[in-house]
Amino acid sequence: RQLSDEEIDEVIEEFKWQLVSNDVALLAAEGLASEIKEKLSMVKVPLFGNRGEVLKPIFREALSSVLLETDEEQFISKVRAAGHDTEPFKLLFVGPNGGGKTTTVVKVAKRLKREGIPSLIACSDTFRAAAIEQLKRLAETIGVRTVSQKYGSDPAAVAIDAVNSARSNRIPLVLIDTAGRTEVDTNLLEEMRKIKRVVSPDTVIFVGDVLTGNAMVEQATKFNEYVGVDYAILTKLDADVRGGATVSLCFAVKRPILFLGVGQGLDDIVSFKKSEFIHRLLS
Amino acid sequence: NLAQGIRSAIARLISSPVPDRQTIEEVIRGIQRALLLADVRADLVKSFSDNIRERTFNVELPRGISRRDHILKIVYDELVRLLGGERKELRVSRTPFVIMMVGIQGTGKTTSTAKLANYFAKSGYRVGVVVVDVYRPAALHQARQLLEGRGIFVYGEEDGQDPVQIAKRGLKYMSEQKVDVVIVDTAGRHKEQQGLMLEMNELYEAIRPDSVGLIVDATIGQQAGQQAEAFHRVSPVGWIMLTKMDTSARGGGALAAVNVTGAPILFIGTGEKIEDLERFDPKSYVSRLLG
Ligand SMILES: Nc1nc2c(ncn2[C@@H]2O[C@H](COP(=O)(O)OP(=O)(O)OP(=O)(O)O)[C@@H](O)[C@H]2O)c(=O)[nH]1
Ligand SMILES: Nc1nc2c(ncn2[C@@H]2O[C@H](COP(=O)(O)OP(=O)(O)OP(=O)(O)O)[C@@H](O)[C@H]2O)c(=O)[nH]1
Ligand SMILES: [Mg+2]
Ligand SMILES: [Mg+2]
């Protein structure tokens, strides 16, 4: 038989609460819930007994269509191919305060180095206390060189400096670490937009914290609005998270997740597999 | 006429002393939504709204107030009450007064340590900071740079390996300098890092701080309570500081942290600069929470 209107509302409420308690932002949960409403009105459930069998696939499908994976091999080949031009391939990393950008930049550099792609890192966080020392020390541990100027210098100028150095040293890749900033600070959002305009990176990567709740929607939206996000990397998945923030992000900006940060070590980076996420979000 | 009829029907509905189940449900749903958007933990939102629903059904609506405003007032008052009522103080009850800052990676502990150190220095205390974070590259540099030129002592060991030993030596140094308030900055950690949670317990036992501050990122979602509980078990939390309140987040996760630790929120962080520290005010926090 079909579900009554009341039952549909009940199922939708249940779905929303399930998602929210697994850290999906309310707006994303509501958006997904309204997307399945139509499917729910057409589905046939058994006259007696468990309707879960019929409903689970609908929930799974909703999550599967919103979550976006990246083919890691394809990404790496793209970076490697670009490395044969005379112009270095530029990756710009942006994101909120403390989200894990600096650590992630070095993780990505290490990952690509393992694939035979050498890189140079630009210390374009010229604001935060010890940002340059932190990045230098991390990069040193994997034998990747950094380019920096003094604190207070123009982040875009540091990035250009790094690109020029990469070009003359035939280094095919430049990763640019920037300062953390909030989605409500228009001055800093403008600064980020200017960095992009001056440097014109090949790829912009948003690095966010998977522990983030509802703010993830506004963060992703605003960063995307100001610089256009190509990929996202979410960190701190090792903190026992259901990973609902991945849904919030994908729902907000429809961009793929490139990697996940799963620890503080420089090897703690993995690719995003949506099937295991969906399983966890629905259990 | 029709307009007048509808107007009086609405007036009757709003001023009706008899609880209208449907109206109450709608108002409660609206409040639930506001709380969820503010990151209040889902189960707390549910139990809270059950509690409110029960109370409004048994209460006659006071004259001259709409059902909606009546419920909002009950919710507002209840939330303010849960947060301890009025602003609380961090009292420097002895000397040296030792504060230990703990929290998840990247929540703003080091920055908040500097803010707090400056806050006490401005109030006339002799202040020192001991950095026992041996994992984060340039953690000591960060504290030194933040506190440069403020007459605040900073102790740390460049190639230090053992946080407990650094803490002990640091406290000894601070007492030699006759420091009144010592703030210990620790490394970020989360509940799944067994070794680090054990280390936190060792630090707590070795330092025996007068006050432990849990630094919570206002942007945190549903995990706030669980993580706070893990910290509380290894080093009893005395107070909470909510950082990054200068974002779109409303910091509702802190309610779960308060709930599991019984600790009051004393401060909020409103930016990256040393001055961006405010004393927590439950009333303005709750107004912001309810949107
Ligand atoms: N557990 C865990 N910690 C992480 C992860 N990624 C980064 N961290 C930690 O999070 C903290 C902040 O990382 P940073 O790399 O400094 O973050 P950031 O975004 O560059 O910070 P700002 O530049 O200050 O905005 C550090 O203690 C990191 O070790 C992760 O995947 N898991
Ligand atoms: N916007 C904003 N940023 C803040 C606030 N407090 C700290 N930050 C920023 O958050 C980032 C992380 O701050 P830290 O003080 O390094 O955090 P932490 O907890 O010591 O990090 P770990 O030691 O790696 O665990 C930095 O970019 C700070 O400037 C705040 O109240 N508002
Ligand atoms: Mg950084
Ligand atoms: Mg720190």
Side-chain angles (χ1 to χ4, degrees), chain A residues 90-144:
Chain A
K90 297 164 277 187
L91 300 182
L92 177 69
F93 291 78
V94 298
N97 302 89
K101 295 174 295 300
T102 302
T103 311
T104 300
V105 165
V106 185
K107 285 180 183 178
V108 173
K110 182 172 188 183
R111 181 84 186 76
L112 293 174
K113 180 172 181 180
R114 213 174 70 204
E115 296 285 333
I117 305 172
S119 61
L120 197 60
I121 298 178
C123 307
S124 285
D125 179 350
T126 57
F127 166 75
R128 208 211 66 213
I132 297 175
E133 285 82 355
Q134 179 193 9
L135 183 50
K136 278 196 182 297
R137 289 181 189 197
L138 282 172
E140 250 166 35
T141 67
I142 60 164
V144 169

Side-chain angles (χ1 to χ4, degrees), chain B residues 85-139:
Chain B
E86 19 36 32
R87 297 192 328 169
K88 297 230 152 51
E89 279 260 19
L90 177 53
R91 268 191 352 98
V92 176
S93 52
R94 54 192 291 268
T95 195
F97 187 77
V98 181
I99 299 169
M100 186 164 79
M101 308 284 272
V102 307
I104 299 173
Q105 287 87 349
T107 53
K109 295 175 294 301
T110 304
T111 310
S112 302
T113 295
K115 288 178 181 178
L116 222 57
N118 180 60
Y119 171 83
F120 284 116
K122 285 259 173 332
S123 311
Y125 293 100
R126 218 165 140 79
V127 185
V129 167
V130 177
V131 179
V132 303
D133 181 349
V134 300
Y135 308 102
R136 173 155 165 159

Side-chain angles (χ1 to χ4, degrees), chain A residues 22-235:
Chain A
N22 280 332
D23 248 329
V24 176
L26 185 63
L27 289 175
E30 288 176 337
L32 287 178
S34 65
E35 276 174 30
I36 64 170
K37 190 156 191 178
E38 190 163 341
K39 284 231 178 79
L40 290 176
S41 63
M42 301 194 293
V43 83
K44 293 276 186 357
V45 297
L47 283 176
F48 302 108
N50 194 352
R51 64 188 186 193
E53 297 283 325
V54 179
L55 298 180
K56 262 272 173 87
I58 295 181
F59 298 157
R60 247 184 267 127
E61 172 55 24
L63 288 172
S64 184
S65 57
V66 72
L67 288 172
L68 300 170
E69 286 179 0
T70 303
D71 183 328
E72 197 179 330
E73 288 312 319
Q74 217 175 59
F75 174 76
I76 294 178
S77 321
K78 179 165 73 172
V79 177
R80 187 180 285 114
H84 295 306
D85 303 339
T86 51
E87 192 60 18
F89 198 75
K90 297 164 277 187
L91 300 182
L92 177 69
F93 291 78
V94 298
N97 302 89
K101 295 174 295 300
T102 302
T103 311
T104 300
V105 165
V106 185
K107 285 180 183 178
V108 173
K110 182 172 188 183
R111 181 84 186 76
L112 293 174
K113 180 172 181 180
R114 213 174 70 204
E115 296 285 333
I117 305 172
S119 61
L120 197 60
I121 298 178
C123 307
S124 285
D125 179 350
T126 57
F127 166 75
R128 208 211 66 213
I132 297 175
E133 285 82 355
Q134 179 193 9
L135 183 50
K136 278 196 182 297
R137 289 181 189 197
L138 282 172
E140 250 166 35
T141 67
I142 60 164
V144 169
R145 277 183 36 232
T146 56
V147 169
S148 62
Q149 294 177 11
K150 57 185 176 21
Y151 285 99
S153 50
D154 178 10
V158 179
I160 293 296
D161 208 355
V163 174
N164 291 335
S165 172
R167 192 184 301 112
S168 52
N169 287 293
R170 303 187 175 277
I171 297 175
L173 175 66
V174 175
L175 297 101
I176 306 158
D177 183 23
T178 62
R181 67 202 71 226
T182 76
E183 66 281 12
V184 302
D185 190 328
T186 29
N187 287 334
L188 290 185
L189 291 172
E190 277 302 335
E191 172 195 87
M192 176 178 61
R193 173 179 276 163
K194 170 173 167 258
I195 295 175
K196 169 160 191 202
R197 203 185 58 236
V198 169
V199 176
S200 80
D202 298 283
T203 299
V204 176
I205 300 176
F206 172 85
V207 179
D209 186 334
V210 82
L211 288 159
T212 309
N214 284 279
M216 178 62 78
V217 171
E218 189 65 3
Q219 277 178 6
T221 303
K222 276 285 173 275
F223 275 79
N224 190 40
E225 193 182 306
Y226 274 79
V227 289
V229 168
D230 295 308
Y231 297 98
I233 295 178
L234 291 183
T235 65

Side-chain angles (χ1 to χ4, degrees), chain A residues 17 20 23 30 97 127-130 133-134 137 183-184 211-214 218 236 238-240 264, chain B residues 33 36-37 39 42 105 136 141-142 145 158 190-193 219 221-223 227 244 246 248 272:
Chain A
W17 282 100
V20 167
D23 248 329
E30 288 176 337
N97 302 89
F127 166 75
R128 208 211 66 213
E133 285 82 355
Q134 179 193 9
R137 289 181 189 197
E183 66 281 12
V184 302
L211 288 159
T212 309
N214 284 279
E218 189 65 3
K236 309 182 198 169
D238 51 310
D240 174 33
Q264 298 180 269
Chain B
R33 192 162 185 280
L36 287 176
L37 277 171
D39 292 310
Q105 287 87 349
R136 173 155 165 159
H141 271 261
Q142 186 183 2
Q145 283 181 23
E158 255 311 324
H190 58 68
K191 69 181 174 67
E192 300 306 308
Q193 293 170 310
T219 66
Q222 299 286 309
Q223 275 288 312
Q227 297 281 350
K244 307 178 197 172
D246 54 310
S248 64
E272 298 191 73

